Amino acid sequence: MAQRDQTQHETAAPPALGIGMVGYAFMGAAHSQGWRTAGHVFGLPLRPVLAAVCGRDRTAVEAAADRHGWAAAETDWRALIARDDVQLVDICTPGDSHAEIAVAALEAGKHVLCEKPLANTVAEAEAMAAAAGRAAARGRSAFVGFNYRRVPALAHARRLVAEGRLGALRHVRAVYLQDWLTDPASPLTWRLDKDRAGSGALGDLGAHVVDLAQYLAGEPLTEVSALTETFVRERPRPAGPSGGLRGGAAAGGTGPVTVDDAAVFTGRLASGALASFEVTRMAAGRKNALRLEINGERGSLAFDLERLNELSFHDHTELAATAGFRRVLVTEPEHPYLEAWWPPGHTLGYEHTFVHQARDVVCAIAGGGGAPVPSFADGLQVQRVLAAVEESAAKNSALVPVTL
């Protein structure tokens, strides 16, 4: 009986979707968690299989494969793309390699998930979006990894805006604050090299809040005015034969920081609503503080990542005597993603955003989730906003239109 039940279970298992991941550090670990968990929580039409992970250091990538449950390890991303057991390529590398890997994977007939920001330049992002368009005609999907869209409270906020609960929007304000670069002795890393990272806090943190602002509002930014600053312009080179950077520079001494430490910018949405943004990696005491607020003619919404299971909602149509912000605990089965998790009141965390991302990607590929969301076109739009911010800052806060 047990053998027959097992055979029936195996027969009923959904088809496999082989995942090949390039990169295995912070984001690689988070994505691994998502792929490994999604099929155990949600009833998926395809079964994610961790086929292979890729990195240049053989010893390190094999250790990562063992730790996170990948069946094989590769040291060349081209070999990973060529594998027959890989149907989706997940890109978790620095931005300077996104375009080359993504375009090659799409042209090889693979689906692609690429971490944000989509690329380092608008030209690269345009090439990636064009490749995604060609691949879509062949039934292949391309996604950009804005994982904060998958926070249930933020997905619920989008529903409320789309339902008209806030009425016409007036303001969107967003801040994303970290402090890991506050110490001038913090070493130079690839994230501080414009050739590899594209930009600093702007691309690292600003990409998230720009995407969230446009996602929640349901409309794009059309113009921006910005200031950026690099507070520490030289940092110690880390240990290692090349100082942890490309180009063969020797360890020791200091090297130039070629990206921004912080950016502050205002913008206008297509409807005329105003938006403001502040992003920095120099806010002492703020580890990962992402906060958003949206004000409309009929109400307001506010969110704080440090309380990510909660949404603050104010209904301005209520009587003034009882109206005010109220705390909505987003753990009910009616809330986005929560039907598969724990009983109401049992909260989720940061890692669950990657589980939800994996679910949405799998469902879209299988045909039950519609077009890729967020798509490479969405990533390109964010890249155009980031480029406009840099242009405005270079022109001393001049108003710069965003190419749509």
PDB file of all heavy atoms in Angstrom, residues 152-154 156-157 160 165 300-304 307-315 324-332 334-336 345 347:
ATOM      1  N   PRO A 152       3.292  41.094   1.763  1.00  0.00           N
ATOM      2  CA  PRO A 152       1.832  41.084   1.720  1.00  0.00           C
ATOM      3  C   PRO A 152       1.196  42.439   2.015  1.00  0.00           C
ATOM      4  O   PRO A 152       0.207  42.810   1.361  1.00  0.00           O
ATOM      5  CB  PRO A 152       1.466  40.046   2.794  1.00  0.00           C
ATOM      6  CG  PRO A 152       2.609  39.087   2.755  1.00  0.00           C
ATOM      7  CD  PRO A 152       3.829  39.947   2.532  1.00  0.00           C
ATOM      8  N   ALA A 153       1.744  43.198   2.966  1.00  0.00           N
ATOM      9  CA  ALA A 153       1.159  44.496   3.300  1.00  0.00           C
ATOM     10  C   ALA A 153       1.249  45.458   2.127  1.00  0.00           C
ATOM     11  O   ALA A 153       0.315  46.244   1.880  1.00  0.00           O
ATOM     12  CB  ALA A 153       1.853  45.088   4.529  1.00  0.00           C
ATOM     13  N   LEU A 154       2.349  45.423   1.369  1.00  0.00           N
ATOM     14  CA  LEU A 154       2.477  46.319   0.218  1.00  0.00           C
ATOM     15  C   LEU A 154       1.604  45.849  -0.944  1.00  0.00           C
ATOM     16  O   LEU A 154       1.026  46.681  -1.664  1.00  0.00           O
ATOM     17  CB  LEU A 154       3.940  46.413  -0.206  1.00  0.00           C
ATOM     18  CG  LEU A 154       4.823  47.218   0.761  1.00  0.00           C
ATOM     19  CD1 LEU A 154       6.292  47.107   0.380  1.00  0.00           C
ATOM     20  CD2 LEU A 154       4.392  48.682   0.788  1.00  0.00           C
ATOM     21  N   HIS A 156      -1.192  44.390  -0.514  1.00  0.00           N
ATOM     22  CA  HIS A 156      -2.528  44.802  -0.068  1.00  0.00           C
ATOM     23  C   HIS A 156      -2.719  46.308  -0.285  1.00  0.00           C
ATOM     24  O   HIS A 156      -3.808  46.749  -0.699  1.00  0.00           O
ATOM     25  CB  HIS A 156      -2.714  44.446   1.397  1.00  0.00           C
ATOM     26  CG  HIS A 156      -4.081  44.713   1.937  1.00  0.00           C
ATOM     27  ND1 HIS A 156      -5.235  44.323   1.284  1.00  0.00           N
ATOM     28  CD2 HIS A 156      -4.495  45.334   3.088  1.00  0.00           C
ATOM     29  CE1 HIS A 156      -6.297  44.694   1.993  1.00  0.00           C
ATOM     30  NE2 HIS A 156      -5.867  45.310   3.079  1.00  0.00           N
ATOM     31  N   ALA A 157      -1.679  47.089  -0.035  1.00  0.00           N
ATOM     32  CA  ALA A 157      -1.760  48.530  -0.281  1.00  0.00           C
ATOM     33  C   ALA A 157      -2.055  48.815  -1.744  1.00  0.00           C
ATOM     34  O   ALA A 157      -2.862  49.698  -2.074  1.00  0.00           O
ATOM     35  CB  ALA A 157      -0.454  49.205   0.147  1.00  0.00           C
ATOM     36  N   LEU A 160      -5.708  48.346  -2.401  1.00  0.00           N
ATOM     37  CA  LEU A 160      -6.536  49.436  -1.892  1.00  0.00           C
ATOM     38  C   LEU A 160      -6.478  50.651  -2.805  1.00  0.00           C
ATOM     39  O   LEU A 160      -7.495  51.311  -3.054  1.00  0.00           O
ATOM     40  CB  LEU A 160      -6.098  49.799  -0.472  1.00  0.00           C
ATOM     41  CG  LEU A 160      -6.320  48.718   0.593  1.00  0.00           C
ATOM     42  CD1 LEU A 160      -5.694  49.128   1.915  1.00  0.00           C
ATOM     43  CD2 LEU A 160      -7.805  48.440   0.775  1.00  0.00           C
ATOM     44  N   ARG A 165      -9.695  53.373  -2.915  1.00  0.00           N
ATOM     45  CA  ARG A 165      -9.935  53.720  -1.514  1.00  0.00           C
ATOM     46  C   ARG A 165      -9.278  55.032  -1.112  1.00  0.00           C
ATOM     47  O   ARG A 165      -9.710  55.679  -0.158  1.00  0.00           O
ATOM     48  CB  ARG A 165      -9.440  52.588  -0.593  1.00  0.00           C
ATOM     49  CG  ARG A 165     -10.185  51.266  -0.765  1.00  0.00           C
ATOM     50  CD  ARG A 165     -11.641  51.365  -0.324  1.00  0.00           C
ATOM     51  NE  ARG A 165     -11.758  51.614   1.099  1.00  0.00           N
ATOM     52  CZ  ARG A 165     -11.750  50.678   2.037  1.00  0.00           C
ATOM     53  NH1 ARG A 165     -11.597  49.399   1.690  1.00  0.00           N
ATOM     54  NH2 ARG A 165     -11.904  50.982   3.306  1.00  0.00           N
ATOM     55  N   SER A 300      -5.265  57.820   3.290  1.00  0.00           N
ATOM     56  CA  SER A 300      -3.811  57.661   3.266  1.00  0.00           C
ATOM     57  C   SER A 300      -3.423  56.246   3.664  1.00  0.00           C
ATOM     58  O   SER A 300      -4.146  55.567   4.404  1.00  0.00           O
ATOM     59  CB  SER A 300      -3.139  58.653   4.226  1.00  0.00           C
ATOM     60  OG  SER A 300      -3.336  59.994   3.828  1.00  0.00           O
ATOM     61  N   LEU A 301      -2.247  55.838   3.194  1.00  0.00           N
ATOM     62  CA  LEU A 301      -1.646  54.569   3.567  1.00  0.00           C
ATOM     63  C   LEU A 301      -0.206  54.820   3.987  1.00  0.00           C
ATOM     64  O   LEU A 301       0.472  55.671   3.397  1.00  0.00           O
ATOM     65  CB  LEU A 301      -1.641  53.591   2.383  1.00  0.00           C
ATOM     66  CG  LEU A 301      -2.981  52.999   1.948  1.00  0.00           C
ATOM     67  CD1 LEU A 301      -2.823  52.313   0.593  1.00  0.00           C
ATOM     68  CD2 LEU A 301      -3.468  52.004   2.992  1.00  0.00           C
ATOM     69  N   ALA A 302       0.280  54.090   4.983  1.00  0.00           N
ATOM     70  CA  ALA A 302       1.667  54.191   5.405  1.00  0.00           C
ATOM     71  C   ALA A 302       2.203  52.811   5.720  1.00  0.00           C
ATOM     72  O   ALA A 302       1.482  51.949   6.247  1.00  0.00           O
ATOM     73  CB  ALA A 302       1.794  55.106   6.620  1.00  0.00           C
ATOM     74  N   PHE A 303       3.500  52.604   5.422  1.00  0.00           N
ATOM     75  CA  PHE A 303       4.144  51.304   5.621  1.00  0.00           C
ATOM     76  C   PHE A 303       5.548  51.512   6.139  1.00  0.00           C
ATOM     77  O   PHE A 303       6.254  52.433   5.714  1.00  0.00           O
ATOM     78  CB  PHE A 303       4.193  50.524   4.305  1.00  0.00           C
ATOM     79  CG  PHE A 303       5.016  49.271   4.373  1.00  0.00           C
ATOM     80  CD1 PHE A 303       4.495  48.112   4.935  1.00  0.00           C
ATOM     81  CD2 PHE A 303       6.325  49.254   3.901  1.00  0.00           C
ATOM     82  CE1 PHE A 303       5.251  46.958   5.019  1.00  0.00           C
ATOM     83  CE2 PHE A 303       7.090  48.101   3.976  1.00  0.00           C
ATOM     84  CZ  PHE A 303       6.561  46.946   4.533  1.00  0.00           C
ATOM     85  N   ASP A 304       5.971  50.632   7.052  1.00  0.00           N
ATOM     86  CA  ASP A 304       7.314  50.657   7.618  1.00  0.00           C
ATOM     87  C   ASP A 304       7.853  49.226   7.565  1.00  0.00           C
ATOM     88  O   ASP A 304       7.264  48.315   8.172  1.00  0.00           O
ATOM     89  CB  ASP A 304       7.259  51.168   9.064  1.00  0.00           C
ATOM     90  CG  ASP A 304       8.624  51.307   9.703  1.00  0.00           C
ATOM     91  OD1 ASP A 304       9.595  50.705   9.217  1.00  0.00           O
ATOM     92  OD2 ASP A 304       8.722  52.021  10.723  1.00  0.00           O
ATOM     93  N   ARG A 307       8.122  46.964  10.480  1.00  0.00           N
ATOM     94  CA  ARG A 307       6.863  46.379  10.963  1.00  0.00           C
ATOM     95  C   ARG A 307       6.129  45.838   9.731  1.00  0.00           C
ATOM     96  O   ARG A 307       4.999  46.224   9.439  1.00  0.00           O
ATOM     97  CB  ARG A 307       6.035  47.428  11.706  1.00  0.00           C
ATOM     98  CG  ARG A 307       6.802  48.095  12.845  1.00  0.00           C
ATOM     99  CD  ARG A 307       6.019  49.179  13.546  1.00  0.00           C
ATOM    100  NE  ARG A 307       4.930  48.642  14.344  1.00  0.00           N
ATOM    101  CZ  ARG A 307       4.184  49.373  15.177  1.00  0.00           C
ATOM    102  NH1 ARG A 307       4.409  50.687  15.303  1.00  0.00           N
ATOM    103  NH2 ARG A 307       3.211  48.816  15.872  1.00  0.00           N
ATOM    104  N   LEU A 308       6.794  44.915   9.035  1.00  0.00           N
ATOM    105  CA  LEU A 308       6.357  44.583   7.678  1.00  0.00           C
ATOM    106  C   LEU A 308       5.053  43.800   7.612  1.00  0.00           C
ATOM    107  O   LEU A 308       4.507  43.616   6.518  1.00  0.00           O
ATOM    108  CB  LEU A 308       7.467  43.854   6.912  1.00  0.00           C
ATOM    109  CG  LEU A 308       7.572  42.332   6.943  1.00  0.00           C
ATOM    110  CD1 LEU A 308       8.609  41.888   5.922  1.00  0.00           C
ATOM    111  CD2 LEU A 308       7.884  41.787   8.288  1.00  0.00           C
ATOM    112  N   ASN A 309       4.503  43.341   8.723  1.00  0.00           N
ATOM    113  CA  ASN A 309       3.202  42.686   8.710  1.00  0.00           C
ATOM    114  C   ASN A 309       2.055  43.664   8.940  1.00  0.00           C
ATOM    115  O   ASN A 309       0.909  43.239   9.075  1.00  0.00           O
ATOM    116  CB  ASN A 309       3.150  41.590   9.777  1.00  0.00           C
ATOM    117  CG  ASN A 309       4.084  40.438   9.455  1.00  0.00           C
ATOM    118  OD1 ASN A 309       3.751  39.548   8.675  1.00  0.00           O
ATOM    119  ND2 ASN A 309       5.269  40.453  10.057  1.00  0.00           N
ATOM    120  N   GLU A 310       2.376  44.955   8.988  1.00  0.00           N
ATOM    121  CA  GLU A 310       1.357  45.961   9.304  1.00  0.00           C
ATOM    122  C   GLU A 310       1.242  46.996   8.194  1.00  0.00           C
ATOM    123  O   GLU A 310       2.216  47.317   7.509  1.00  0.00           O
ATOM    124  CB  GLU A 310       1.702  46.676  10.614  1.00  0.00           C
ATOM    125  CG  GLU A 310       1.793  45.759  11.818  1.00  0.00           C
ATOM    126  CD  GLU A 310       2.197  46.504  13.073  1.00  0.00           C
ATOM    127  OE1 GLU A 310       2.093  47.752  13.093  1.00  0.00           O
ATOM    128  OE2 GLU A 310       2.631  45.854  14.046  1.00  0.00           O
ATOM    129  N   LEU A 311       0.042  47.513   8.044  1.00  0.00           N
ATOM    130  CA  LEU A 311      -0.238  48.623   7.151  1.00  0.00           C
ATOM    131  C   LEU A 311      -1.077  49.628   7.921  1.00  0.00           C
ATOM    132  O   LEU A 311      -2.023  49.243   8.618  1.00  0.00           O
ATOM    133  CB  LEU A 311      -1.006  48.133   5.922  1.00  0.00           C
ATOM    134  CG  LEU A 311      -1.200  49.106   4.760  1.00  0.00           C
ATOM    135  CD1 LEU A 311       0.144  49.471   4.137  1.00  0.00           C
ATOM    136  CD2 LEU A 311      -2.114  48.484   3.709  1.00  0.00           C
ATOM    137  N   SER A 312      -0.710  50.905   7.854  1.00  0.00           N
ATOM    138  CA  SER A 312      -1.514  51.951   8.480  1.00  0.00           C
ATOM    139  C   SER A 312      -2.434  52.553   7.424  1.00  0.00           C
ATOM    140  O   SER A 312      -1.976  52.944   6.341  1.00  0.00           O
ATOM    141  CB  SER A 312      -0.617  53.032   9.076  1.00  0.00           C
ATOM    142  OG  SER A 312       0.143  52.515  10.141  1.00  0.00           O
ATOM    143  N   PHE A 313      -3.727  52.620   7.756  1.00  0.00           N
ATOM    144  CA  PHE A 313      -4.722  53.096   6.791  1.00  0.00           C
ATOM    145  C   PHE A 313      -5.609  54.151   7.442  1.00  0.00           C
ATOM    146  O   PHE A 313      -6.108  53.954   8.562  1.00  0.00           O
ATOM    147  CB  PHE A 313      -5.578  51.923   6.305  1.00  0.00           C
ATOM    148  CG  PHE A 313      -6.724  52.320   5.419  1.00  0.00           C
ATOM    149  CD1 PHE A 313      -6.501  53.029   4.251  1.00  0.00           C
ATOM    150  CD2 PHE A 313      -8.024  51.977   5.745  1.00  0.00           C
ATOM    151  CE1 PHE A 313      -7.562  53.394   3.427  1.00  0.00           C
ATOM    152  CE2 PHE A 313      -9.091  52.335   4.930  1.00  0.00           C
ATOM    153  CZ  PHE A 313      -8.854  53.054   3.766  1.00  0.00           C
ATOM    154  N   HIS A 314      -5.782  55.265   6.757  1.00  0.00           N
ATOM    155  CA  HIS A 314      -6.691  56.317   7.219  1.00  0.00           C
ATOM    156  C   HIS A 314      -7.762  56.546   6.162  1.00  0.00           C
ATOM    157  O   HIS A 314      -7.452  56.831   4.999  1.00  0.00           O
ATOM    158  CB  HIS A 314      -5.941  57.622   7.462  1.00  0.00           C
ATOM    159  CG  HIS A 314      -6.842  58.808   7.622  1.00  0.00           C
ATOM    160  ND1 HIS A 314      -7.734  58.924   8.673  1.00  0.00           N
ATOM    161  CD2 HIS A 314      -7.009  59.919   6.858  1.00  0.00           C
ATOM    162  CE1 HIS A 314      -8.392  60.069   8.557  1.00  0.00           C
ATOM    163  NE2 HIS A 314      -7.977  60.683   7.460  1.00  0.00           N
ATOM    164  N   ASP A 315      -9.031  56.399   6.566  1.00  0.00           N
ATOM    165  CA  ASP A 315     -10.165  56.652   5.686  1.00  0.00           C
ATOM    166  C   ASP A 315     -10.662  58.062   5.977  1.00  0.00           C
ATOM    167  O   ASP A 315     -11.284  58.319   7.010  1.00  0.00           O
ATOM    168  CB  ASP A 315     -11.262  55.622   5.944  1.00  0.00           C
ATOM    169  CG  ASP A 315     -12.414  55.751   4.960  1.00  0.00           C
ATOM    170  OD1 ASP A 315     -12.533  56.818   4.306  1.00  0.00           O
ATOM    171  OD2 ASP A 315     -13.194  54.798   4.844  1.00  0.00           O
ATOM    172  N   GLY A 324      -9.046  58.418  11.828  1.00  0.00           N
ATOM    173  CA  GLY A 324      -7.629  58.438  12.169  1.00  0.00           C
ATOM    174  C   GLY A 324      -6.950  57.227  11.580  1.00  0.00           C
ATOM    175  O   GLY A 324      -7.602  56.315  11.058  1.00  0.00           O
ATOM    176  N   PHE A 325      -5.640  57.200  11.636  1.00  0.00           N
ATOM    177  CA  PHE A 325      -4.915  56.041  11.144  1.00  0.00           C
ATOM    178  C   PHE A 325      -5.232  54.832  12.007  1.00  0.00           C
ATOM    179  O   PHE A 325      -5.253  54.911  13.230  1.00  0.00           O
ATOM    180  CB  PHE A 325      -3.412  56.299  11.160  1.00  0.00           C
ATOM    181  CG  PHE A 325      -2.915  57.035   9.938  1.00  0.00           C
ATOM    182  CD1 PHE A 325      -2.781  58.421   9.948  1.00  0.00           C
ATOM    183  CD2 PHE A 325      -2.597  56.339   8.783  1.00  0.00           C
ATOM    184  CE1 PHE A 325      -2.324  59.095   8.833  1.00  0.00           C
ATOM    185  CE2 PHE A 325      -2.142  57.009   7.657  1.00  0.00           C
ATOM    186  CZ  PHE A 325      -2.005  58.391   7.678  1.00  0.00           C
ATOM    187  N   ARG A 326      -5.481  53.708  11.360  1.00  0.00           N
ATOM    188  CA  ARG A 326      -5.677  52.480  12.107  1.00  0.00           C
ATOM    189  C   ARG A 326      -4.690  51.420  11.622  1.00  0.00           C
ATOM    190  O   ARG A 326      -4.308  51.385  10.446  1.00  0.00           O
ATOM    191  CB  ARG A 326      -7.109  51.978  11.984  1.00  0.00           C
ATOM    192  CG  ARG A 326      -7.588  51.580  10.605  1.00  0.00           C
ATOM    193  CD  ARG A 326      -8.988  50.984  10.705  1.00  0.00           C
ATOM    194  NE  ARG A 326      -9.550  50.594   9.431  1.00  0.00           N
ATOM    195  CZ  ARG A 326     -10.399  51.333   8.724  1.00  0.00           C
ATOM    196  NH1 ARG A 326     -10.773  52.514   9.185  1.00  0.00           N
ATOM    197  NH2 ARG A 326     -10.876  50.891   7.573  1.00  0.00           N
ATOM    198  N   ARG A 327      -4.276  50.568  12.537  1.00  0.00           N
ATOM    199  CA  ARG A 327      -3.313  49.513  12.248  1.00  0.00           C
ATOM    200  C   ARG A 327      -4.047  48.315  11.667  1.00  0.00           C
ATOM    201  O   ARG A 327      -4.965  47.769  12.272  1.00  0.00           O
ATOM    202  CB  ARG A 327      -2.594  49.120  13.541  1.00  0.00           C
ATOM    203  CG  ARG A 327      -1.738  47.876  13.478  1.00  0.00           C
ATOM    204  CD  ARG A 327      -1.075  47.681  14.843  1.00  0.00           C
ATOM    205  NE  ARG A 327      -0.386  46.417  14.968  1.00  0.00           N
ATOM    206  CZ  ARG A 327      -0.916  45.308  15.472  1.00  0.00           C
ATOM    207  NH1 ARG A 327      -2.189  45.308  15.892  1.00  0.00           N
ATOM    208  NH2 ARG A 327      -0.214  44.197  15.567  1.00  0.00           N
ATOM    209  N   VAL A 328      -3.627  47.910  10.465  1.00  0.00           N
ATOM    210  CA  VAL A 328      -4.167  46.711   9.826  1.00  0.00           C
ATOM    211  C   VAL A 328      -3.092  45.641   9.909  1.00  0.00           C
ATOM    212  O   VAL A 328      -2.004  45.792   9.333  1.00  0.00           O
ATOM    213  CB  VAL A 328      -4.539  46.981   8.358  1.00  0.00           C
ATOM    214  CG1 VAL A 328      -5.089  45.703   7.708  1.00  0.00           C
ATOM    215  CG2 VAL A 328      -5.538  48.127   8.248  1.00  0.00           C
ATOM    216  N   LEU A 329      -3.361  44.570  10.644  1.00  0.00           N
ATOM    217  CA  LEU A 329      -2.428  43.454  10.715  1.00  0.00           C
ATOM    218  C   LEU A 329      -2.662  42.568   9.495  1.00  0.00           C
ATOM    219  O   LEU A 329      -3.702  41.921   9.375  1.00  0.00           O
ATOM    220  CB  LEU A 329      -2.636  42.668  12.010  1.00  0.00           C
ATOM    221  CG  LEU A 329      -1.629  41.549  12.284  1.00  0.00           C
ATOM    222  CD1 LEU A 329      -0.214  42.106  12.413  1.00  0.00           C
ATOM    223  CD2 LEU A 329      -2.012  40.776  13.538  1.00  0.00           C
ATOM    224  N   VAL A 330      -1.696  42.559   8.586  1.00  0.00           N
ATOM    225  CA  VAL A 330      -1.878  41.878   7.302  1.00  0.00           C
ATOM    226  C   VAL A 330      -1.432  40.422   7.447  1.00  0.00           C
ATOM    227  O   VAL A 330      -0.351  40.011   7.013  1.00  0.00           O
ATOM    228  CB  VAL A 330      -1.106  42.603   6.188  1.00  0.00           C
ATOM    229  CG1 VAL A 330      -1.414  41.974   4.824  1.00  0.00           C
ATOM    230  CG2 VAL A 330      -1.492  44.082   6.168  1.00  0.00           C
ATOM    231  N   THR A 331      -2.289  39.634   8.087  1.00  0.00           N
ATOM    232  CA  THR A 331      -2.035  38.199   8.275  1.00  0.00           C
ATOM    233  C   THR A 331      -3.280  37.357   8.026  1.00  0.00           C
ATOM    234  O   THR A 331      -3.297  36.165   8.346  1.00  0.00           O
ATOM    235  CB  THR A 331      -1.520  37.915   9.709  1.00  0.00           C
ATOM    236  OG1 THR A 331      -2.521  38.302  10.653  1.00  0.00           O
ATOM    237  CG2 THR A 331      -0.225  38.658  10.000  1.00  0.00           C
ATOM    238  N   GLU A 332      -4.326  37.963   7.485  1.00  0.00           N
ATOM    239  CA  GLU A 332      -5.564  37.229   7.216  1.00  0.00           C
ATOM    240  C   GLU A 332      -5.463  36.452   5.902  1.00  0.00           C
ATOM    241  O   GLU A 332      -4.760  36.879   4.977  1.00  0.00           O
ATOM    242  CB  GLU A 332      -6.748  38.205   7.139  1.00  0.00           C
ATOM    243  CG  GLU A 332      -7.027  38.960   8.426  1.00  0.00           C
ATOM    244  CD  GLU A 332      -7.531  38.055   9.539  1.00  0.00           C
ATOM    245  OE1 GLU A 332      -8.175  37.024   9.225  1.00  0.00           O
ATOM    246  OE2 GLU A 332      -7.275  38.367  10.712  1.00  0.00           O
ATOM    247  N   GLU A 334      -7.391  36.387   3.561  1.00  0.00           N
ATOM    248  CA  GLU A 334      -7.869  37.218   2.444  1.00  0.00           C
ATOM    249  C   GLU A 334      -6.785  38.149   1.909  1.00  0.00           C
ATOM    250  O   GLU A 334      -6.930  38.722   0.822  1.00  0.00           O
ATOM    251  CB  GLU A 334      -9.078  38.059   2.890  1.00  0.00           C
ATOM    252  CG  GLU A 334     -10.319  37.259   3.241  1.00  0.00           C
ATOM    253  CD  GLU A 334     -10.300  36.717   4.657  1.00  0.00           C
ATOM    254  OE1 GLU A 334      -9.353  37.049   5.423  1.00  0.00           O
ATOM    255  OE2 GLU A 334     -11.220  35.965   5.019  1.00  0.00           O
ATOM    256  N   HIS A 335      -5.718  38.336   2.668  1.00  0.00           N
ATOM    257  CA  HIS A 335      -4.639  39.213   2.239  1.00  0.00           C
ATOM    258  C   HIS A 335      -3.731  38.495   1.239  1.00  0.00           C
ATOM    259  O   HIS A 335      -3.662  37.265   1.231  1.00  0.00           O
ATOM    260  CB  HIS A 335      -3.825  39.682   3.451  1.00  0.00           C
ATOM    261  CG  HIS A 335      -4.573  40.605   4.352  1.00  0.00           C
ATOM    262  ND1 HIS A 335      -4.519  40.532   5.728  1.00  0.00           N
ATOM    263  CD2 HIS A 335      -5.401  41.648   4.078  1.00  0.00           C
ATOM    264  CE1 HIS A 335      -5.272  41.479   6.259  1.00  0.00           C
ATOM    265  NE2 HIS A 335      -5.819  42.168   5.271  1.00  0.00           N
ATOM    266  N   PRO A 336      -3.011  39.243   0.391  1.00  0.00           N
ATOM    267  CA  PRO A 336      -2.154  38.609  -0.623  1.00  0.00           C
ATOM    268  C   PRO A 336      -1.154  37.635  -0.020  1.00  0.00           C
ATOM    269  O   PRO A 336      -0.492  37.941   0.979  1.00  0.00           O
ATOM    270  CB  PRO A 336      -1.443  39.809  -1.269  1.00  0.00           C
ATOM    271  CG  PRO A 336      -2.373  40.960  -1.041  1.00  0.00           C
ATOM    272  CD  PRO A 336      -2.998  40.708   0.301  1.00  0.00           C
ATOM    273  N   GLY A 345      -2.497  36.382  12.582  1.00  0.00           N
ATOM    274  CA  GLY A 345      -1.694  36.853  13.700  1.00  0.00           C
ATOM    275  C   GLY A 345      -0.309  36.258  13.762  1.00  0.00           C
ATOM    276  O   GLY A 345       0.550  36.754  14.493  1.00  0.00           O
ATOM    277  N   THR A 347       3.062  36.002  12.124  1.00  0.00           N
ATOM    278  CA  THR A 347       3.664  36.917  11.167  1.00  0.00           C
ATOM    279  C   THR A 347       4.732  36.267  10.285  1.00  0.00           C
ATOM    280  O   THR A 347       5.273  35.212  10.602  1.00  0.00           O
ATOM    281  CB  THR A 347       4.287  38.111  11.912  1.00  0.00           C
ATOM    282  OG1 THR A 347       5.214  37.621  12.898  1.00  0.00           O
ATOM    283  CG2 THR A 347       3.206  38.915  12.631  1.00  0.00           C
TER     284      THR A 347
END
